[in-house]
């Protein structure tokens, strides 16, 4: 169980979720500046938008 | 895409009193989760509401996901008569909160903020511990995984005793 401040008693449901988190991604972020974290987020958004666009195109092409 | 740099610079350079909360605050603290909007708590004073309305006006704020053509007017009266707004603008998605469930308003959250030097400006961001408290208080099932990640980040910051 992770060590939390007294104001945050561990929640058993949240504790279950922690087991599946790949914390190596967070460690990578912690090495960045806050500004770099936001720039990375924007790059991720662009990637997500591109995936959505490609999926829409695939669905449209499948209907033809 | 939400242009965080443009939105944050716009708000700070317009002297809007606001605190970054939600997924963007989680990003600032090291979260690896994708968020697509900027959540802020804004001060409800008439002066601040006027600054907020004036700052966002050129970017055509409109209720996000709503059908086009609604008689939505971006005015100080709209903000004063409402509280929380989920908006899309030409520079991205922004959610304005007058209050957070379990967190209160701007003045209530102010003692639990950090100052971030970001994009050449300085702005306030909710502390990691308070962000977790607020997300827990909201009680939304979709936040459980986000809370788990934030608690791991908090534990990583705290030296073992």
């Amino acid at each position: 169980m992770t060590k939390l401040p007294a104001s945050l008693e561990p929640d058993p449901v949240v504790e279950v979720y922690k087991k599946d988190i790949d914390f190596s991604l967070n460690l990578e972020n912690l090495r960045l500046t806050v500004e770099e974290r936001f720039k990375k987020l924007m790059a991720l958004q662009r990637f997500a938008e591109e995936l959505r666009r490609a999926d829409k195109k695939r669905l449209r092409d499948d209907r033809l | 895409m939400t242009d965080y740099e443009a939105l944050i610079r716009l708000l700070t350079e317009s002297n809007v009193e606001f605190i970054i909360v939600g997924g963007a605050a989680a990003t600032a603290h090291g979260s690896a989760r994708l968020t697509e909007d900027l959540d802020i708590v804004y001060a409800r004073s008439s002066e601040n509401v006027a600054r907020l309305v004036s700052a966002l006006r050129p970017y055509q704020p409109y209720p996000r996901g709503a059908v086009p053509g609604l008689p939505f007017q971006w005015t100080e009266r709209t903000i004063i008569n409402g509280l929380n707004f989920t908006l899309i603008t030409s520079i991205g998605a922004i959610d304005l909160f007058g209050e957070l469930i379990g967190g209160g308003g701007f003045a209530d959250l102010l003692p639990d903020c950090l100052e971030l030097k970001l994009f050449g400006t300085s702005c306030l961001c909710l502390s990691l511990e308070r962000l977790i408290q607020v997300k827990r208080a909201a009680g939304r099932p979709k936040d459980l995984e986000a809370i788990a990640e934030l608690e791991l980040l908090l534990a990583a910051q705290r030296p073992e005793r």
Side-chain angles (χ1 to χ4, degrees):
Chain A
M1 200 169 280
T2 38
K3 206 168 176 67
L4 291 170
S7 60
L8 293 171
E9 285 297 314
D11 176 320
V13 179
V14 171
E15 294 302 315
V16 171
Y17 277 89
K18 286 180 188 172
K19 295 188 184 84
D20 293 322
I21 289 174
D22 178 359
F23 200 67
S24 64
L25 297 173
N26 300 97
L27 290 174
E28 211 173 283
N29 285 346
L30 291 175
R31 282 192 280 270
L32 303 175
T33 65
V34 174
E35 190 165 315
E36 286 169 338
R37 292 173 201 167
F38 275 99
K39 286 182 174 162
K40 188 175 165 188
L41 174 64
M42 287 189 273
L44 192 56
Q45 278 187 4
R46 277 192 289 273
F47 178 58
E49 278 174 18
E50 180 58 18
L51 286 177
R52 287 185 206 121
R53 189 204 56 74
D55 192 49
K56 262 190 200 161
K57 183 179 182 307
R58 182 189 59 81
L59 288 171
R60 227 180 12 246
D61 292 350
D62 284 354
R63 278 200 293 268
L64 294 177
Chain B
M1 190 195 78
T2 294
D3 188 338
Y4 289 93
E5 178 170 1
L7 278 169
I8 290 168
R9 285 178 68 102
L10 173 71
L11 295 172
T12 54
E13 287 167 7
S14 306
N15 297 314
V16 175
E17 290 178 296
F18 72 100
I19 300 167
I20 299 175
V21 297
T27 295
H29 291 298
S31 166
R33 296 168 65 80
L34 174 64
T35 185
E36 302 201 60
D37 56 15
L38 175 66
D39 294 341
I40 63 162
V41 171
Y42 64 98
R44 294 274 291 168
S45 68
S46 53
E47 296 82 6
N48 195 54
V49 167
R51 289 191 290 263
L52 177 63
V53 167
S54 168
L56 288 177
R57 183 175 288 125
Y59 304 97
Q60 300 106 37
Y62 191 76
R64 196 157 75 240
V67 291
L70 291 179
F72 178 76
Q73 293 188 332
W74 181 247
T75 63
E76 292 164 43
R77 180 180 286 268
T78 299
I79 301 295
I80 293 296
N81 288 343
L83 184 66
N84 299 337
F85 299 86
T86 302
L87 303 169
I88 186 72
T89 72
S90 57
I91 48 175
I94 182 167
D95 292 354
L96 310 178
F97 293 95
E99 282 178 13
L100 291 182
I101 296 169
F106 180 83
D108 302 303
L109 296 170
L110 207 49
D112 294 312
C113 286
L114 318 167
E115 191 182 348
L116 295 182
K117 301 283 181 206
L118 193 56
F119 303 125
T121 64
S122 172
C123 61
L124 296 175
C125 178
L126 198 58
S127 72
L128 181 51
E129 191 170 334
R130 192 81 161 107
L131 182 62
I132 294 167
Q133 286 171 346
V134 165
K135 278 197 176 280
R136 279 185 172 206
R140 298 181 304 185
K142 70 167 193 166
D143 282 339
L144 288 169
E145 197 178 324
I147 294 168
E149 185 198 35
L150 293 173
E151 289 188 2
L152 288 172
L153 283 163
L154 185 63
Q157 286 180 5
R158 292 170 67 84
E160 289 292 325
R161 294 196 187 120

